Amino acid sequence: MNILYYNPGRCLIGRRLLTSIKSERLANNIAIHRNLDKFSDRLRQQGNDKTIPIILAPKEEDLLDIYFIKHLFCKTPFILLLPDRKKDTMAVGYRCKPRFMFYMDTNFAEITEALHVLKESTNFRQEPDEHEYHKFAA
């Protein structure tokens, strides 16, 4: 299993989470991205390998950036960490359709447990969503 780790900020929580994931030895390869364009390009290049994106959104602006590229996740389960527990923030997070959604203050054991679940999942790819088969009127 591979992990695409997106953290646009340089927060201490992000570094601790990365250390926790590495110590659990859940992934063969962890690709760290801090730039949204490069992260998006990497998502477009996904093949049939088992790759799980973990996305930290330390600010609301970062979460909105993820929302606008949510179409790239239509066949990929991912983990999303939200900046706070406000209703508006949670609504945007749910609309991104993550397989697991946590908050920045979540215990890292819960996040690594979610990675274990995704790693062992037999139904790794999600069903196609409305973005792929929607016919637009001319």
Side-chain angles (χ1 to χ4, degrees), residues 3-7 17 21 39 52-56 78-81 111 115:
I3 292 178
L4 289 178
Y5 183 80
Y6 177 68
N7 181 4
L17 176 60
I21 292 168
F39 179 67
I52 299 173
I54 299 176
I55 301 166
L56 274 73
F78 68 100
I79 296 173
L80 178 63
L81 276 81
I111 298 170
L115 279 171

Side-chain angles (χ1 to χ4, degrees), residues 11-22:
C11 60
L12 184 60
I13 293 170
R15 281 186 247 144
R16 287 182 181 168
L17 176 60
L18 188 59
T19 302
S20 176
I21 292 168
K22 286 179 179 179

Side-chain angles (χ1 to χ4, degrees), residues 97-126:
K97 298 182 181 180
R99 184 71 59 96
F100 292 98
M101 189 169 69
F102 298 103
Y103 304 96
M104 295 297 277
D105 61 352
T106 301
N107 186 348
F108 296 145
E110 293 179 41
I111 298 170
T112 55
E113 180 62 30
L115 279 171
H116 280 288
V117 169
L118 288 175
K119 183 177 182 179
E120 301 301 322
S121 175
T122 55
N123 186 16
F124 183 72
R125 297 288 181 206
Q126 292 180 348

